[in-house]
Amino acid sequence: MTDIDVALRERFGLSSFHPWQREAIEELLGGRRRVIVIAPTGGGKSLCYQLPAAVLEGTSIVISPLIALMEDQVRALTERGVAATFLASTLEPEELRRREREIFEGCYQLVYVAPERLESPWLVDKLAALRPGLLAIDEAHCISQWGHDFRPSYLRLGQVIERLKPPRVLACTATATPIVRREIQERLGLRSEQSAVILRGFSRPNLHLTVVESDSSTQRRKRMLHALAEALGSPDQPRGGAIVYAATRRNTETVAEAVVRAGWRAAPYHAGLAASLREDVNRRFANRSLDVVVATNAFGMGIDRADIRTVIHVQAPGSVEAYYQEVGRAGRDGQPAHGLLLTSSGDLALRRRLIGFSGGRDSDGVQDPAHVQQQWALFLDLMRYVEAGSCRHDFILRYFGDEQETLGGCGHCDVCERLEEAGEEGGPRSASDEEALLVRKALAGVARNQGRAGLTAVSDMLHGTDNERLRRLGLTELSTHGLLEDRPKAWVLALLRRMITAGLIDLSAGEFPIPHLTRLGIATMKDEEPVRMLVPPPDAGQARTRKKERRPSNRELPDDVDPSLFERLRATRLDLARAKGVPAYVVCHDRTLLEIAAYKPTSMEALAGIHGMGPARIERYGEPFLATVSSHAP
Ligand code: ADP
Ligand code: ZN
């Protein structure tokens, strides 16, 4: 047992680390010593500085803007025998001076400081003289000027770090957007090659995610009402609540009328309503005398209801993060819940306008082009989510950078379900043979490009365009020129876009982004990995409507499946689901069990080749499934 394990038990009374906590603490103490931890609120981030502070020599400093939280933590630490205190402007001057004196004498292992305190160069100098072994910055997203919690005093922290020269720096936040993360890194001087970024705990496997694109407003309205009925049952006896999000205030009112007409107890909610009205809606939704709230994004903070069965967006929200936050309000009780995103081509123009109105102006009403650009880029990321050809959950987790929790296909989002259908009809796993071949051809084209040209030129090359520009770039000479000549240009470009969102291709940063294959892309090209994405529909580029409901599966077991092993695997899955208190399909899908029963993997590596077995599932469930296989007599 190492020092940190001993400290965990003896000082903190906990029996084991979350695996990522150990990783963060080891990086901080003996690894790269510059660490960013991103995990949801309540995930256990504070242990990542409290435990090192308890085992390190000397004083550690934690910067936190939340005074109530500092007080609580100081009390808890003191009870556990860790000498801790805090400095904030709420203290009496005399008390403040007494604490400062003790701190400068080195009486404390852990000192919490409110960021405003560090505006005093005197205090910073005194703290620097202590040579603190660790500086932790909690709520690090407060440094982001794009974020909601921006605190001007956080901007100075870069300079504070330069003065204190701490050998170890930890930044913690629950905000997972890549932009905010980059800003934290830049402003705190945590350069990416030299710091460890640990991002964990954002997966919500009990959420069933679906996107429907349709340019018919009647269709969209029907889908919304259908989804409400599916999730809540009948209006007489609803099982739980629902939130419907719309992009404009006016729309919340018209949609709410339609929902009421369908028999639900529903009300609109937006920032333009009187405060008393808004409180009333909040209260009635909380005490279950309202089933559905139709709201703008103003609704959400502090919703205290765990039995929300569905969150429906009737228009696209502003970003992937906003979407995930809003849809994440469904299924807080861990029971199955649905997220439905309805969108039409009109949403692009609408969002462009909304950005022009609000986000793009500073407090004086002046347009800030950089901000407009930023917001627009975030919205385009959401559009990539809409047209993603790979698992919705994996897309979002990959977007946040939570590669560790990707599932390799959740098995129950709309894309996974369509992949499943394609697999049933076409025979092989994941995409059909024909589709997989198209993807592999496109991958070969990107590989041959070898950094020469951007995405559009590469797609022209695959399509077989012959013009001056392509000739100059040498693209017409490539063996992959015209490899997809039977497909329209726009379709090939849509295919390449999907390959980006599926993680097969990446774009270089910079003014002229160049596509290149990721490791997954290379493995997929070589047929070492199955193709886990859908190719675009034939009319890609134009608006489309999704055709049909998922048809009920009446699948026969494949020939090579061992039926008795399959049954035993199902029993194992049921045990796991009960132990974790989640629905069985969250553990894994039937498809995964069928493949295990057919291929009988005997190692973690072999398990990784099974449909739906991503790193997170392997970590959580790999061993029991392997044990079931190995204990099963052939
Ligand atoms: P965050 O700072 O990420 O919002 P906290 O650090 O306040 O979250 O932790 C939330 C709760 O989780 C605390 O009650 C803490 O004791 C508990 N916790 C943290 N790490 C562990 C662990 N390894 N095992 C069990 N409980 C833990
Ligand atoms: Zn999925």
Side-chain angles (χ1 to χ4, degrees), residues 306-371:
D307 67 339
I308 294 173
R309 296 271 68 84
T310 183
V311 170
I312 303 168
H313 286 74
V314 293
Q315 285 162 312
S319 67
V320 175
E321 195 193 27
Y323 181 64
Y324 202 50
Q325 192 177 22
E326 286 162 9
V327 78
R329 296 187 174 124
R332 282 276 159 211
D333 54 7
Q335 294 306 304
H338 285 251
L340 170 62
L341 171 55
L342 295 163
T343 174
S344 68
S345 35
D347 283 355
L348 280 145
L350 173 70
R351 182 58 49 182
R352 197 77 203 165
R353 234 180 47 213
L354 290 174
I355 292 173
F357 270 132
S358 60
R361 276 161 222 277
D362 64 17
S363 50
D364 301 322
V366 179
Q367 284 265 350
D368 173 355
H371 203 175

Side-chain angles (χ1 to χ4, degrees), residues 135-276:
L135 178 72
I137 295 127
D138 210 353
E139 312 293 334
H141 60 279
C142 292
I143 210 167
S144 165
Q145 286 176 293
W146 302 117
H148 300 294
D149 297 329
F150 173 59
R151 300 217 169 203
S153 54
Y154 262 66
L155 281 184
R156 225 160 306 204
L157 293 183
Q159 289 157 306
V160 172
I161 293 178
E162 274 174 27
R163 292 279 303 126
L164 294 182
K165 297 198 174 42
R168 300 174 192 82
V169 178
L170 171 70
C172 299
T173 178
T175 301
T177 37
I179 292 187
V180 173
R181 194 184 324 153
R182 264 199 304 279
E183 226 181 326
I184 293 173
Q185 285 181 310
E186 270 166 30
R187 294 192 193 276
L188 295 180
L190 303 173
R191 262 173 299 154
S192 43
E193 2 20 301
Q194 293 156 357
S195 48
V197 177
I198 293 169
L199 189 141
R200 221 46 70 69
F202 288 94
S203 75
R204 292 291 313 283
N206 63 319
L207 271 186
H208 181 293
L209 298 173
T210 302
V211 177
V212 173
E213 292 176 85
S214 166
D215 279 345
S216 149
S217 58
T218 329
Q219 272 294 333
R220 293 199 304 276
R221 178 67 48 92
K222 264 198 198 145
R223 286 298 294 233
M224 173 196 67
L225 293 173
H226 180 72
L228 277 179
E230 286 247 291
L232 301 184
S234 104
D236 317 325
Q237 254 186 333
R239 32 163 202 266
I243 306 175
V244 177
Y245 280 108
T248 64
R249 295 175 183 185
R250 210 173 55 125
N251 212 13
T252 63
E253 312 213 342
T254 47
V255 173
E257 277 165 30
V259 174
V260 168
R261 269 202 305 279
W264 302 99
R265 297 175 300 173
Y269 184 105
H270 55 75
L273 296 173
S276 59

Side-chain angles (χ1 to χ4, degrees), residues 406-425:
T406 55
L407 297 165
C410 71
H412 57 270
C413 68
D414 60 337
V415 178
C416 280
E417 284 176 347
R418 271 180 285 160
L419 278 169
E420 186 113 338
E421 287 175 12
E424 280 165 38
E425 283 152 14

